[in-house]
Amino acid sequence: MTTTATGALLRRDGLARRRDPLYAVSLGFLGLVVLVAAFGPLLAPYPPDAIDFTAIWGSPSPAHLLGTDQLGRDLFSRLLLGTRESLIGPLALLAGATVIGVAIGLVAAWNGGWVDVLLARITDVMFAFPGLLFVVLVIAVFGKGPWTAVVALALAYAPVIAKFTRSIALSELARPYVDAYRVQGASAVHIAVRRVLPNMTPALLGYLVVLFGEGLMSLATLSYLGFGAQPPSSEWGLMVQEGQDGIVLGHFAPTLVPGLAIAAVVVAVNIVGVRLSERLGARA
């Protein structure tokens, strides 16, 4: 996409935000979340692991805006400081899955024939295998931890991205400019990486934004089950798991606060992703 086209797209996106308040609110909320992730340590009034046994299951107060958890830790501070970890994980897994998935999809679409059939069968086998079970098996082999969960989910998401990439690559490879570059003697790598891939980027970008929400939910689920982030982390999924004992005692904030944060980010990401995909696709 050229600089002129990109500028025109940004101007159209500005107009679209004014005409679509839900999109504008979601985009603004996500911008705020990114700022919190960047400056959370400066904004948090307490360290995330500061234990105060005199304030266990505390209600919201001027000292603790959202209350405290089962160890007397400030929920507001833990929510702010957990934002960065909760966002970095999905970004990392999408980066890994995108590299693998786009490579497989491009190779399959470009070569066709037995290469396409072989790669399609491999991705079909991975699709047939339950994703969560695959992730649990990887964690069982390499141990618990946030980065093990990220790698396992990246491998689980790669076939999804590969199939999507292959579908849009087949459409792109049918365009006349591809044959023109072939006639000029351009190499397959040059055409695929320097010409075809940039033209596929708008469709991929919108799809990946939506997948970010799914990745966030998946990592939070693994942390809730005890396979992802480990104490004393303030990752949101782990915060939900640690606060669930308080529900029986009538203390809902330790579970509700991080749970609402996850839900709000996922909903906002899905709204922005769908709108972005529609607009980038229309522009393309």
Side-chain angles (χ1 to χ4, degrees):
M1 188 178 292
T2 64
T3 303
T4 304
T6 303
L9 180 59
L10 291 174
R11 288 192 294 273
R12 288 185 58 185
D13 189 63
L15 290 172
R17 285 199 299 271
R18 290 192 288 272
R19 297 171 183 170
D20 190 347
L22 186 60
Y23 172 64
V25 170
S26 300
L27 196 61
F29 173 72
L30 291 179
L32 179 61
V33 171
V34 171
L35 289 176
V36 170
F39 301 105
L42 300 177
L43 302 173
Y46 301 96
D49 54 353
I51 296 174
D52 183 1
F53 291 117
T54 65
I56 292 176
W57 301 125
S59 301
S61 66
H64 302 286
L65 296 179
L66 297 177
T68 59
D69 64 7
Q70 75 281 1
L71 296 177
R73 297 173 297 188
D74 183 64
L75 287 177
F76 181 65
S77 299
R78 288 178 62 75
L79 182 71
L80 293 181
L81 293 166
T83 304
R84 181 180 301 178
E85 184 176 355
S86 300
L87 297 184
I88 287 177
L91 285 174
L93 82 85
L94 276 184
T98 300
V99 171
I100 298 171
V102 169
I104 292 175
L106 265 180
V107 170
W110 181 270
N111 289 280
W114 67 268
V115 175
D116 187 15
V117 172
L118 176 63
L119 293 176
R121 294 299 171 266
I122 293 174
T123 54
D124 287 342
V125 169
M126 295 186 71
F127 264 118
F129 202 75
L132 183 58
L133 180 58
F134 172 77
V135 171
V136 171
L137 287 175
V138 173
I139 292 173
V141 174
F142 296 101
K144 300 177 182 179
W147 291 110
T148 305
V150 166
V151 172
L153 282 172
L155 295 175
Y157 274 62
V160 180
I161 297 175
K163 279 189 171 293
F164 182 78
T165 301
R166 177 185 175 276
S167 65
I168 59 176
L170 287 174
S171 299
E172 194 65 30
L173 290 173
R175 295 178 181 270
Y177 77 88
V178 176
D179 291 330
Y181 279 115
R182 283 172 170 164
V183 170
Q184 293 174 14
S187 66
V189 174
H190 174 83
I191 299 173
V193 176
R194 299 291 299 276
R195 305 300 175 184
V196 175
L197 185 57
N199 290 333
M200 293 165 47
T201 300
L204 275 172
L205 182 60
Y207 184 67
L208 291 175
V209 171
V210 175
L211 278 184
F212 177 87
E214 294 186 19
L216 176 61
M217 282 290 294
S218 298
L219 282 175
T221 300
L222 289 177
S223 295
Y224 177 83
L225 295 174
F227 298 125
Q230 302 296 311
S233 168
S234 55
E235 194 269 343
W236 292 344
L238 181 61
M239 287 180 65
V240 172
Q241 188 271 334
E242 291 180 333
Q244 66 180 354
D245 291 338
I247 296 177
V248 179
L249 302 174
H251 303 291
F252 298 99
T255 297
L256 192 61
V257 167
L260 287 177
I262 294 171
V265 172
V266 170
V267 170
V269 165
N270 285 343
I271 291 172
V272 171
V274 170
R275 300 290 198 280
L276 190 63
S277 180
E278 292 172 352
R279 284 159 188 159
L280 289 176
R283 178 60 186 168

